[in-house]
Amino acid sequence: MNPVSARLLNQQLICPQFTTPYQVVEWLGAMQAQEYRMMRWAVGMRTRRPSARAFEKDYNAGKIVRGHLFRTTWQLVAGEDWRWMLSLCRTNALRGLEGWMKQNGVSIPAAEQDTVQQLFSDYLEQHRIAFKADFAAALAEQGIVMDDHRLSYHIRLGEYSGLLCSGDLFPLKHSYALASAKLPGQAPLPREEALALLARKYFRSHGPATLEDFVWWSGLNIGECKQGLDAIQGELMTERWHKLTFYRHRDSRTRGFRSGIVTLLPSYDEYLIGYKSRHVALHPDHSHRAHNQRGIFWPVLLVDGEAVGNWSVPAGEPQVEIFRSDTPLPAPALEAEIARYNKFLKK
């Protein structure tokens, strides 16, 4: 088994199968979207013809939604998956949010939450989309003044209650909309069915992966993850590699890899953050070049799926810094990848 080539294929980083950003997000299940600008390239680079405008179109149409779901972090999911995924992770997400609030000495009474969410709803029924500053102004008009952190907690509670979802895409600032207006109506999924569907999405797009990887990625407890895994056991194949058991879905790919591929991997990308152990693609000696101990991830340069350097865009053109001198860097492939990135921004 070659987990590097299989992951590159199944994560659509080489030989992508899809033509639209929506198809990519639906396939991956949930994509880390911490960095508001980089998330667009994370999706676009996985399509056959990367286009920033195509991403914006699917995002504004509600086919792609950005919000806090698994591990209570920013993620992109397909609009049709938003509600059942939110239901699946809501308990853990609220527990995490309440922990942060307690740590910061913040308590929000139920009556206050109801009042604020009603004001959010009233504003969005009139204006369709809102920025955080718009919510603050609407509250102030009603004599409700609060600091930025408290407002952030109220917005997060609005997400977890199912009231708010992402609005339209803007260059630098996240916006909000009413989930009832932006997203299609969906029948609720039984929890057992939702766990099975989540496991299927993960192992078909992230495989080969371990159970521990799935637990990390989903933020659910190991019992629930085992339940999801067991529900699709007939769809999975298992392989041993370095004394670990890896699973891959029957719909995943193992053929199509070709060498000499250079990839400008964005910060917080699923290729690294989607697994508990990242040693498959990132040598432990260089892990500090990809992320720090506080969970901050930086853009990484891949050669044939292995992290060999960092890249940034300080003045409009990607700049590369190599940290693994033992891996030859194919100059033509790097030039082609930079050209692909620049074309994505303009298209």
Side-chain angles (χ1 to χ4, degrees):
M1 181 183 74
N2 184 343
V4 171
S5 62
R7 286 180 180 181
L8 287 171
L9 286 163
N10 294 320
Q11 287 221 13
Q12 309 297 316
L13 288 170
I14 58 173
C15 305
Q17 299 171 292
F18 303 122
T19 57
T20 70
Y22 154 74
Q23 291 173 316
V24 170
V25 176
E26 191 278 331
W27 172 260
L28 269 289
M31 297 181 66
Q32 194 75 17
Q34 206 81 7
E35 180 58 54
Y36 187 58
R37 286 174 290 184
M38 279 283 184
M39 70 178 185
R40 307 164 205 211
W41 173 238
V43 177
M45 69 187 301
R46 289 170 160 90
T47 61
R48 290 178 179 173
R49 295 182 179 180
S51 165
R53 289 183 182 176
F55 177 87
E56 181 179 9
K57 180 180 177 181
D58 282 356
Y59 191 95
N60 290 352
K63 293 181 178 180
I64 298 173
V65 186
R66 180 179 185 242
H68 298 86
L69 291 171
F70 304 102
R71 307 188 310 280
T72 67
T73 63
W74 285 108
Q75 293 175 324
L76 295 174
V77 302
E80 67 211 44
D81 292 334
W82 173 260
R83 288 191 175 89
W84 69 262
M85 286 189 176
L86 180 59
S87 178
L88 199 56
C89 72
R90 181 182 284 114
T91 299
N92 285 350
L94 283 170
R95 187 182 297 121
L97 182 62
E98 288 164 0
W100 295 337
M101 290 167 60
K102 185 176 181 181
Q103 200 172 36
N104 290 292
V106 176
S107 176
I108 296 179
E112 178 186 326
Q113 182 180 338
D114 291 344
T115 298
V116 170
Q117 291 203 19
Q118 185 60 56
L119 286 171
F120 287 170
S121 179
D122 292 344
Y123 183 90
L124 286 169
E125 284 179 355
Q126 295 181 43
H127 299 88
R128 194 176 70 82
I129 59 170
F131 296 111
K132 188 177 183 180
D134 296 324
F135 285 148
L139 291 170
E141 286 182 5
Q142 301 300 317
I144 302 173
V145 179
M146 60 182 67
D147 61 38
D148 189 69
H149 278 96
R150 193 177 191 88
L151 178 56
S152 293
Y153 291 136
H154 272 292
I155 291 174
R156 188 77 68 90
L157 288 168
E159 283 187 52
Y160 293 151
S161 71
L163 176 71
L164 302 178
C165 69
S166 54
D168 291 348
L169 189 73
F170 289 85
L172 299 175
K173 293 193 295 184
H174 180 81
S175 69
Y176 299 90
L178 287 175
S180 59
K182 186 83 181 272
L183 304 178
Q186 299 165 317
L189 284 181
R191 194 167 183 84
E192 297 78 9
E193 188 176 334
L195 287 169
L197 181 53
L198 189 70
R200 181 177 297 114
K201 284 178 176 287
Y202 180 75
F203 286 103
R204 73 179 184 181
S205 62
H206 290 70
T210 66
L211 172 61
E212 290 74 18
D213 291 328
F214 182 43
V215 173
W216 152 256
W217 178 81
S218 69
L220 302 174
N221 65 53
I222 191 168
E224 290 179 309
C225 290
K226 283 183 176 178
Q227 185 179 347
L229 192 68
D230 290 344
I232 63 165
Q233 196 64 241
E235 304 171 26
L236 298 176
M237 291 163 279
T238 61
E239 295 186 60
R240 295 284 292 178
W241 189 74
H242 289 197
K243 298 181 180 179
L244 296 174
T245 300
F246 284 77
Y247 300 89
R248 62 180 179 86
H249 195 267
R250 66 190 179 195
D251 292 342
S252 63
R253 294 183 292 169
T254 58
R255 297 182 180 181
F257 176 79
R258 62 184 188 275
S259 61
I261 299 295
V262 173
T263 307
L264 294 176
L265 196 74
S267 54
Y268 299 97
D269 193 84
E270 283 295 308
Y271 185 68
L272 291 182
I273 209 169
Y275 307 92
K276 182 178 181 181
S277 177
R278 303 176 183 107
H279 69 280
V280 170
L282 177 64
H283 194 284
D285 289 349
H286 302 294
S287 62
H288 65 286
R289 300 298 299 268
H291 59 85
N292 64 21
Q293 297 300 315
R294 299 187 302 277
I296 305 299
F297 280 70
W298 299 291
V300 170
L301 183 75
L302 304 178
V303 173
D304 291 338
E306 295 190 15
V308 303
N310 297 106
W311 66 283
S312 60
V313 192
E317 185 73 13
Q319 303 294 314
V320 170
E321 180 183 358
I322 302 300
F323 55 68
R324 273 193 63 171
S325 57
D326 61 325
T327 302
L329 181 61
L334 174 60
E335 292 173 4
E337 180 68 348
I338 290 174
R340 189 170 76 114
Y341 174 77
N342 289 332
K343 187 176 181 180
F344 159 79
L345 296 176
K346 298 172 183 176
K347 191 174 178 182

